[in-house]
């Protein structure tokens, strides 16, 4: 049992409240998974300056100023670096591939938690409310956020095993459930050159979706391929910089609820995570149908 939440803001007046609202949503899902938690935030200028590439690095113990100097020398441009709890967040006005390659070359043992324009991914082990406080999530602004609270069932409780899995540029995926055929799909993806950071079944889903998108498919088509390829029980939220999508498996036994207003679209494992959102009393609220892809674009 895990908890997933997602919030896509349509009204720019709410952008300063993204972290506050997302923090409340994540906290309400703590009793669905208190092993670890993670968030993906799009558009917070404190972590990722507007239009800049941002790379989130875990399992790394370096001085941020030294990291900025080292990475700047590789990319040939100024690099900003800061710790947000245990995540080293680096950003620069360079191409995503350039900063990502520099980070991987300079710090080959670090875990890349996420990368892309305007995206910051933070993950950690511990109670979600405590982690949200350590990130100062309530102060974050932006236009979109996704979060996950994990109850581990099949892989280690580590930052690498926490969601979101953000394995493609500006992409992330969170998952409640389990994929029963993930080992087979992992072998098939590895045969195609896809590399993995963990043994978590959710990473297989994220790598599969990223592989589909890299081949030119849109999010809706990629998620339909997930439904056709993966066995098991799942509710998924998949996002990139400009879109937000939800899908459930054919049986739809993992809980999910979507709410929509003119100001925002939100999704959570349970309604209580949505109850504090502004204007929720006037929202259209429904349970997503099995294998129907619900998607919104910024």
């Amino acid at each position: 049992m895990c908890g997933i939440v997602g919030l896509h803001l349509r009204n720019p007046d709410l952008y300063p409240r993204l972290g506050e609202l997302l923090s409340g949503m994540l906290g309400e899902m703590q009793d669905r998974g208190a092993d670890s938690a993670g968030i993906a935030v799009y558009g917070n200028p404190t972590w990722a300056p507007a239009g800049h590439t941002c790379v989130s690095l875990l399992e790394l113990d370096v001085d941020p100023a030294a990291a900025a100097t080292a990475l700047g020398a590789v990319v040939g441009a100024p690099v900003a670096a800061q710790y947000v709890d245990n995540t080293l967040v680096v950003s620069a006005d360079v191409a995503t591939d350039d900063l990502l390659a520099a980070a991987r070359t300079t710090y080959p043992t670090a875990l890349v938690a996420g990368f892309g324009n305007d995206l910051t991914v933070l993950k950690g082990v511990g109670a979600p409310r405590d982690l949200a406080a350590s990130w100062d999530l309530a102060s974050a602004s932006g236009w979109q956020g996704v979060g996950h609270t994990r109850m581990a069932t099949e892989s280690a409780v580590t930052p690498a095993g926490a969601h979101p899995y953000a394995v493609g540029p500006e992409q992330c995926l969170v998952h409640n459930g389990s994929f029963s055929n993930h080992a087979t799909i992992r072998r098939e993806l590895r045969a195609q050159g896809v590399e993995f950071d963990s043994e978590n079944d959710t990473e297989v889903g994220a790598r599969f979706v990223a592989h589909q998108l890299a081949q030119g498919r849109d999010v809706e088509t990629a998620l339909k391929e997930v439904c056709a390829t993966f066995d098991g029980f799942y509710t998924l939220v998949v996002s990139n910089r400009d879109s937000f999508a939800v899908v459930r498996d054919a049986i739809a036994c993992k809980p999910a609820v979507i709410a929509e207003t003119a100001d925002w679209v939100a999704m959570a494992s349970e309604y209580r995570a949505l109850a504090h959102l502004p204007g929720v009393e006037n929202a259209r609220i429904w349970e997503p149908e099995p294998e129907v892809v619900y998607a919104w674009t910024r």
Side-chain angles (χ1 to χ4, degrees):
M1 183 171 70
C2 298
I4 57 178
V5 298
L7 180 60
H8 174 85
L9 298 177
R10 291 167 159 166
N11 183 350
D13 290 342
L14 289 175
Y15 289 3
R17 297 185 61 193
L18 175 69
E20 168 206 337
L21 299 173
L22 187 63
S23 182
M25 296 172 74
L26 194 73
E28 285 295 329
M29 292 295 95
Q30 178 163 300
D31 63 356
R32 293 189 62 86
D35 294 333
S36 57
I39 55 163
V41 171
Y42 294 84
N44 179 26
T46 301
W47 298 334
H52 284 46
T53 290
C54 182
V55 179
S56 301
L57 300 170
L58 283 164
E59 301 177 358
L60 189 61
D61 183 15
V62 297
D63 177 72
T69 299
L71 293 171
V74 177
V75 299
V79 173
Q82 62 181 307
Y83 273 103
V84 183
D85 193 21
N86 64 333
T87 303
L88 181 67
V89 178
V90 298
S91 61
D93 187 11
V94 298
T96 296
D97 288 347
D98 291 344
L99 186 59
L100 180 62
R104 285 177 166 159
T105 300
T106 307
Y107 303 112
T109 63
L111 171 67
V112 177
F115 60 96
N117 282 3
D118 305 311
L119 169 64
T120 308
V121 176
L122 307 174
K123 305 199 287 187
V125 172
R129 288 192 180 97
D130 293 341
L131 288 169
S134 69
W135 301 326
D136 193 20
L137 177 57
S139 297
S141 60
W143 61 78
Q144 186 167 274
V146 175
H148 186 271
T149 65
R150 184 177 183 221
M151 179 180 289
T153 58
E154 45 61 53
S155 64
V157 180
T158 64
H163 307 203
Y165 277 94
V167 301
E170 298 154 11
Q171 301 164 18
C172 82
L173 178 149
V174 292
H175 170 208
N176 176 24
S178 61
F179 297 128
S180 58
N181 61 339
H182 64 92
T184 298
I185 299 171
R186 184 186 291 108
R187 285 195 296 270
E188 293 170 351
L189 289 172
R190 279 179 169 154
Q192 298 177 62
V194 177
E195 298 181 356
F196 287 80
D197 295 323
S198 75
E199 293 303 312
N200 192 297
D201 63 326
T202 301
E203 186 181 359
V204 180
R207 298 282 179 186
F208 181 89
V209 170
H211 192 57
Q212 295 282 314
L213 295 176
Q215 293 176 328
R217 296 178 176 88
D218 60 22
V219 170
E220 293 184 62
T221 302
L223 291 181
K224 289 176 182 176
E225 285 296 317
V226 168
C227 294
T229 305
F230 283 78
D231 296 329
F233 307 113
Y234 52 86
T235 295
L236 303 177
V237 174
V238 174
S239 72
N240 65 31
R241 186 175 178 275
D242 295 313
S243 70
F244 176 83
V246 178
V247 71
R248 301 170 84 190
D249 67 84
I251 299 175
C253 68
K254 293 299 179 182
V257 60
I258 297 174
E260 182 175 13
T261 73
D263 290 332
W264 48 261
V265 180
M267 166 294 153
S269 295
E270 299 180 40
Y271 173 77
R272 59 194 168 103
L274 310 178
H276 68 290
L277 296 179
V280 70
E281 64 276 7
N282 299 315
R284 183 170 76 95
I285 300 172
W286 73 97
E287 181 180 348
E289 295 291 331
E291 293 193 327
V292 174
V293 178
Y294 300 85
W296 294 267
T297 302
R298 184 168 173 246

